[in-house]
Amino acid sequence: MESTDEHQALAVEELAIKANSPPTSYIVKDSESTISTTLPILEIPTIDTTLLSSSSFEAAGELRRLRTALRSCGYFQAINHGMSASFLDEVLEVTGKFFKLPLDEKRTYSRDENGIDGYGNDVIYSDRQTLDWNDRLYLHVLPESIRKCEKWPRLPQNFREILLEFTERLRVMNEIIVKAMEKSLDLGENCFLDQFGKNPISLTRFNFYPPCPWPDRILAVKPHGDASGTTYLLQDKEVEGLQVLKDDHWYRVPLTPDAIVFNCGDQLEIMTNGIFKSPIHRVVTNKEKERRSVALFFSPELTSEIKPAEGLIDDKHPKLYKSVIDYTRNYFEHLQNGRRPIDALKI
Ligand SMILES: O=C(O)CCC(=O)C(=O)O
Ligand SMILES: [Fe+2]
């Protein structure tokens, strides 16, 4: 178990069993991050989703809290989102069941060389890359025309049904939240929604993090800002791991039973001319326990031009980002080469 190539061909779940020393390609370089699991907890506000779209007196206060949260750290926890606790349990349960299938079965859904959808781990762009201690399944769900149905697990049997339901619930919630963002910044209706286009893209990432014997040297997901417009995360109920960089310090994101963790992605940072932050976050590993999470990313349709909203730009607030079409195209390559993809668009 010494050669780098050999490690790269393995699923992380296999490495977790076979490696008897930390695999070189997974060890975090000193310059990248100092890993600690004993950090302060990030106080992220709780936002009532239903209240955001109501016309009640309290709605204005909720919109202000939303704006404050997204300006300061780009995160909040959404409650009152209409999904029952038992449904969210099912989402985590089908995720766990999929990753517990035999490796050979999971590999029938392996990602194609140039594709995104399917089962696998980090795509290798260079031999200096640091790999993540994470097996994952990526599936596009919306628009229907871009689904790669052959990568959708047939087991567990209710997997597809749960994925469709979860996506539909979050699609509706995303519209409420994006509209609330427009309102909170006093922008015209649909100013951001129009940039998402008629057929926004939804991409789901099912994450499985096996226990890692070297949590102080290996990260489960290295620091990144999401490529999306908006991200909705269902965290494991018992095992923490997500950390966020705020004012140059790392904080732990608390577990949020029955809540959905929201964060802005890079494309929303661009649309808001940097007012809302796409937070840098990472995931640490756990020595004893495995962890699951499900992230759902909404992005503008591929032909849509993403740009800072006109209403946010004036003499005092110049445009900070160039316009871009298909932001996600070069995202992974930049990221895996240690660059922050959004920096390439800064004016
Ligand atoms: O597993 C988590 O808590 C977060 C995962 C994440 O950041 C991602 O999938 O982009
Ligand atoms: Fe992320």
Side-chain angles (χ1 to χ4, degrees), residues 205 207 209 221 224 226 233 235 242 281 283 291 293 295 297:
R205 174 170 161 155
N207 287 307
Y209 306 102
V221 180
H224 66 284
D226 290 338
L233 179 76
Q235 293 203 79
L242 179 59
H281 52 286
V283 182
R291 180 172 184 270
S293 71
F297 308 104

Side-chain angles (χ1 to χ4, degrees), residues 109-120:
Y109 307 106
S110 284
R111 190 181 56 77
D112 299 331
E113 199 179 325
N114 294 314
I116 293 175
D117 293 63
Y119 168 75

Side-chain angles (χ1 to χ4, degrees), residues 27-250:
I27 299 175
V28 168
K29 297 170 189 67
D30 287 345
S31 58
E32 289 175 333
S33 264
T34 309
I35 308 173
S36 166
T37 48
T38 54
L39 297 166
I41 290 216
L42 180 77
E43 302 284 338
I44 49 173
T46 303
I47 300 279
D48 182 325
T49 316
T50 308
L51 202 50
L52 284 178
S53 59
S54 86
S55 50
S56 71
F57 172 70
E58 292 98 324
E62 208 64 359
L63 287 174
R64 272 196 302 277
R65 287 176 1 96
L66 174 88
R67 189 182 57 205
T68 306
L70 298 182
R71 283 183 96 120
S72 69
C73 66
Y75 265 100
F76 67 82
Q77 302 191 52
I79 55 157
N80 213 357
H81 43 56
M83 285 178 279
S84 66
S86 63
F87 175 68
L88 296 179
D89 285 350
E90 273 187 297
V91 177
L92 285 174
E93 198 178 297
V94 294
T95 307
K97 281 187 176 161
F98 170 76
F99 285 104
K100 290 295 168 202
L101 292 174
L103 204 47
D104 284 349
E105 169 82 21
K106 291 195 288 270
R107 286 199 165 127
T108 61
Y109 307 106
S110 284
R111 190 181 56 77
D112 299 331
E113 199 179 325
N114 294 314
I116 293 175
D117 293 63
Y119 168 75
N121 43 29
D122 283 349
V123 182
I124 316 284
Y125 294 95
S126 91
D127 33 343
R128 281 167 300 139
Q129 203 173 315
T130 308
L131 303 182
D132 293 342
W133 195 263
N134 162 239
D135 292 324
R136 73 202 71 135
L137 172 69
Y138 268 120
L139 295 174
H140 279 99
V141 178
L142 297 173
E144 222 175 303
S145 57
I146 62 170
R147 282 182 200 165
K148 296 268 181 299
C149 292
E150 69 278 14
K151 306 294 180 196
W152 287 41
R154 281 176 291 276
L155 291 173
Q157 257 169 12
N158 54 346
F159 187 97
R160 294 168 181 220
E161 183 195 322
I162 298 279
L163 174 56
L164 288 174
E165 167 97 23
F166 190 49
T167 304
E168 179 52 21
R169 296 301 197 107
L170 287 175
R171 187 190 67 75
V172 173
M173 180 168 160
N174 188 50
E175 282 201 18
I176 294 175
I177 286 178
V178 174
K179 280 187 175 165
M181 289 175 185
E182 293 163 350
K183 231 177 172 173
S184 79
L185 291 170
D186 291 323
L187 291 169
E189 208 167 307
N190 296 340
C191 168
F192 298 144
L193 269 185
D194 283 348
Q195 295 203 36
F196 275 84
K198 282 203 177 59
N199 296 301
I201 295 171
S202 85
L203 174 64
T204 315
R205 174 170 161 155
F206 298 88
N207 287 307
F208 180 69
Y209 306 102
C212 174
W214 310 280
D216 50 343
R217 303 194 66 191
I218 290 178
L219 278 171
V221 180
K222 64 179 141 302
H224 66 284
D226 290 338
S228 59
T230 48
T231 301
Y232 297 82
L233 179 76
L234 178 61
Q235 293 203 79
D236 196 286
K237 289 182 83 155
E238 278 148 36
V239 186
E240 234 182 74
L242 179 59
Q243 299 187 345
V244 184
L245 193 64
K246 183 172 179 256
D247 305 328
D248 291 332
H249 295 285
W250 287 104

